[in-house]
Amino acid sequence: MSAQNDVSRGLQCAIDAIDAANNDLRGLNKSIHEHPETAYQEFFAVDTISSFLQDKGFKVNKGTYDLETSFTAEVGSGDPLVIICVEYDALPNIGHACGHNLIMTSSIAAFLGAVKALQTCGFPGRIRLLGTPAEEGGGGKAKLIEAGAFKEGVAAAIMAHPFAGHQFKSEYTGLAGLKLIASHKFRVEFRGKAAHAAGEPWNGLNALDAAVAAYNGVSMLRQQMKPDERVHGVIEDGGTVPNVITAYTRMNWYVRGPTVKRADVLLERVQNCCKAAALAAGCEVNFLPSPTYKDLRVNLPLCQQYADDMDRLGEKILVKYDESYTASTDMGNVSYEVPSFHGAFPIPTKPGVSQHHPQFAAHAGTDEAHKAAIKCGKGLAMLAIRVLTDPKLVQEARKDFELMPQE
């Protein structure tokens, strides 16, 4: 049998394996959806996913790369190495309103399918499933990068994200080349001096005034911001009671731009608003940075291959969308380390409902959303097989990665 026939047999083998596991995957999807956990608290998710994989004969390592809620499962030997990234964290108060239960489903489906093809057809290389906690603000992939999770000659790192169906162009049923913007995240503390707000207010230094002035300063700054830049913040701690001058406040800010360099410029201006507010209120100011989310870079050879293979499933995938969605992901950081694929698949929602909307969580739990994740998982499995079996694709993806501008 020719090598081409082997690959074709492997692709069909992957699709069949995913179909065979569909009912089990639906149960896993439902369990994760019904037990939302926030950044670095995804203990139920990791235990449930690990048990699922172990029941299917895989060895799972939990707590990998010094993160309690990371895990790995790997099959094969030698090169190339494909990493399939898994997300499973949720948002505070609104659960899986970003659909990470569906990311988990598509990634694990892809792993099951690709592994079956590797084992059945004797393909070279390795497939590693990597649990990546805390995408929602915690920068889990940034910490995994620091710990060396992507240093080992990775040919490709792949995953996909659900979007509301109305966000796609009508003639397409998915997107391969998704561009997302960079995001700086930081908290800022203001420290003043408490005093009785009625009896001796002149003896106090009001940290709440500093927080309010900072918020208003940034609001005025928006007049000079470019259309593809975003700044948003909240007051996390605004004081205790009205009759005490507030001695401590804390704000949480996201500063986004289409590239890290553009976000750097905007970050300085936002932080200057905070410094000016502190000066005006006579307060001390302290910045607490979190991991930066880099912009997501599109690898065209990987995107084209995904689109071509999804075509055999009757899906019309847009290879690349030139405009950036003004959202961010720590998969952007991975795309600066290794050739990466981060596609998007549609799920049906009500008009006006998209990610981070409370109603999106309900849509993410439906049978229709699960079917979309499974179909995407088949595409990811086929992409993984292509990387394992096509040295030319690996070379083209590496070349495209190396030619990309740095930050």
Side-chain angles (χ1 to χ4, degrees):
M1 183 177 289
S2 70
Q4 184 175 356
N5 286 340
D6 272 345
V7 173
S8 295
R9 184 165 67 98
L11 296 177
Q12 189 60 50
C13 180
I15 292 169
D16 292 343
I18 293 171
D19 283 336
N22 182 52
N23 288 339
D24 292 342
L25 287 165
R26 183 67 183 106
L28 177 62
N29 181 358
K30 186 176 180 182
S31 292
I32 301 304
H33 182 264
E34 291 177 350
H35 294 84
E37 298 166 302
T38 55
Y40 299 116
Q41 302 300 313
E42 312 97 327
F43 298 105
F44 175 87
V46 170
D47 288 344
T48 303
I49 294 167
S50 297
S51 295
F52 176 91
L53 293 169
Q54 288 164 348
D55 288 345
K56 293 191 175 299
F58 296 104
K59 179 183 178 182
V60 180
N61 297 311
K62 294 193 287 186
T64 51
Y65 301 103
D66 298 320
L67 292 180
E68 278 190 284
T69 53
S70 177
F71 69 89
T72 57
E74 184 173 316
V75 175
S77 61
D79 294 326
L81 169 62
V82 177
I83 293 179
I84 301 175
C85 296
V86 191
E87 294 178 9
Y88 34 84
D89 63 318
L91 289 156
N93 303 319
I94 56 176
H96 279 290
C98 209
H100 289 190
N101 61 301
L102 299 173
I103 295 175
M104 180 277 305
T105 301
S106 62
S107 292
I108 292 182
F111 179 72
L112 296 179
V115 164
K116 185 66 174 179
L118 182 150
Q119 294 174 330
T120 301
C121 300
F123 293 143
R126 290 170 290 155
I127 301 171
R128 179 182 300 159
L129 190 69
L130 175 62
T132 64
E135 191 278 334
E136 293 293 352
K141 294 184 191 66
K143 293 186 178 181
L144 286 168
I145 289 169
E146 291 174 2
F150 296 92
K151 282 187 177 179
E152 189 189 349
V154 181
I158 66 175
M159 63 168 290
H161 199 296
F163 276 65
H166 61 76
Q167 294 178 292
F168 290 79
K169 291 186 176 181
S170 59
E171 66 267 33
Y172 293 101
T173 59
L175 172 61
L178 174 66
K179 294 173 67 177
L180 297 174
I181 63 177
S183 177
H184 289 302
K185 306 171 190 293
F186 71 93
R187 286 178 166 84
V188 58
E189 298 176 314
F190 298 103
R191 286 184 167 84
K193 180 182 177 183
H196 196 293
E200 295 180 330
W202 47 85
N203 287 331
L205 297 172
N206 199 327
L208 181 57
D209 285 348
V212 171
Y215 193 93
N216 288 336
V218 173
S219 295
M220 289 187 287
L221 175 63
R222 288 192 175 94
Q223 186 182 24
Q224 281 78 47
M225 284 167 47
K226 295 182 178 180
D228 54 359
E229 297 174 340
R230 298 288 187 275
V231 178
H232 26 271
V234 296
I235 299 175
E236 292 184 326
D237 188 338
T240 53
V241 294
N243 66 339
V244 176
I245 297 292
T246 300
Y248 174 84
T249 57
R250 185 181 66 253
M251 307 181 78
N252 192 357
W253 289 98
Y254 287 8
V255 179
R256 307 184 197 245
T259 64
V260 174
K261 287 184 178 179
R262 286 269 303 277
D264 285 346
V265 174
L266 186 58
L267 175 67
E268 183 178 5
R269 298 189 72 182
V270 170
Q271 291 190 335
N272 282 340
C273 290
C274 297
K275 292 175 183 177
L279 181 64
C283 294
E284 297 177 1
V285 60
N286 180 43
F287 294 103
L288 306 171
S290 295
T292 292
Y293 285 24
K294 296 182 179 181
D295 49 296
L296 180 63
R297 306 197 299 175
V298 172
N299 190 289
L300 281 175
L302 295 178
C303 291
Q304 185 64 61
Q305 186 63 65
Y306 175 83
D308 290 345
D309 282 323
M310 287 294 278
D311 184 66
R312 69 184 279 153
L313 301 181
E315 299 296 309
K316 187 177 181 182
I317 305 298
L318 179 61
V319 174
K320 181 185 177 183
Y321 187 60
D322 289 327
E323 295 182 22
S324 294
Y325 286 95
T326 48
S328 308
T329 175
D330 56 6
M331 190 66 180
N333 299 52
V334 177
S335 75
Y336 274 84
E337 300 294 319
V338 299
S340 300
F341 174 84
H342 185 292
F345 60 93
I347 68 170
T349 68
K350 293 179 181 179
V353 173
S354 58
Q355 301 91 326
H356 292 215
H357 188 291
Q359 292 183 26
F360 192 88
H363 293 297
T366 63
D367 289 340
E368 291 77 14
H370 174 77
K371 290 176 183 177
I374 290 296
K375 187 165 285 189
C376 174
K378 293 175 180 178
L380 293 175
M382 290 190 286
L383 180 59
I385 292 165
R386 295 291 190 183
V387 173
L388 293 180
T389 60
D390 188 350
K392 183 179 178 182
L393 174 62
V394 174
Q395 292 170 2
E396 290 176 346
R398 171 57 61 172
K399 182 179 179 181
D400 190 76
F401 167 79
E402 291 175 348
L403 289 175
M404 292 178 185
Q406 293 295 313
E407 300 188 15

